[in-house]
Amino acid sequence: MLVVLSNLGVQLWSMYGDTMMFYFPLNSILGFEGEFEKFLRGAAALQDFFCVGCSTGNILVFSCRDGGNYPLLHNLESEKVAISSLSSSSALLVAANDNGKIFGYSGADAFEKCFSFPGYG
């Protein structure tokens, strides 16, 4: 799949980019209130999930099981600092934010935070 992130939301496209399979508008979960522009940045796949980082510090976790339905399963909240990057392994989701903080979630334990390294700006 091709994942497109923007200040409007997340789109999933077919492997060839000819069919949009899923669209999730950013304002449906975060709204547009506040003084800062909202955007999505950082995407990672983990088991049967795909995860997307937000400018608000949230990480949205969607299920990607067969059938074309991609429900939002978790809205992981961290510090109110924009997520800059996401990465994953078979059982671990790792995120970094704009302050340099690195933290991880266990995919096996319903995305429970399992470690954190401080950032220094």
Side-chain angles (χ1 to χ4, degrees):
M1 283 192 228
L2 171 66
V3 178
V4 177
L5 306 174
S6 71
N7 61 342
L8 298 178
V10 59
Q11 298 174 350
L12 294 181
W13 291 80
S14 66
M15 179 171 46
Y16 299 107
D18 57 351
T19 305
M20 185 169 54
M21 301 165 50
F22 174 72
Y23 172 67
F24 184 83
L26 183 57
N27 64 349
S28 67
I29 190 79
L30 301 176
F32 284 108
E33 299 82 29
E35 58 188 76
F36 299 106
E37 182 178 1
K38 308 287 192 293
F39 57 87
L40 297 173
R41 184 171 52 188
L46 175 67
Q47 300 165 4
D48 292 333
F49 308 100
F50 72 92
C51 308
V52 179
C54 300
S55 59
T56 58
N58 298 50
I59 299 173
L60 306 178
V61 180
F62 297 90
S63 174
C64 55
R65 302 186 193 277
D66 291 335
N69 189 15
Y70 303 94
L72 177 65
L73 297 179
H74 302 284
N75 183 356
L76 307 175
E77 296 184 19
S78 64
E79 299 175 4
K80 303 291 183 198
V81 178
I83 300 296
S84 58
S85 182
L86 291 178
S87 186
S88 64
S89 67
S90 61
L92 186 66
L93 174 68
V94 178
N97 67 22
D98 280 356
N99 282 347
K101 185 175 183 176
I102 299 171
F103 44 97
Y105 296 91
S106 171
D109 295 324
F111 293 93
E112 183 177 319
K113 192 180 277 189
C114 58
F115 70 85
S116 176
F117 296 105
Y120 300 103

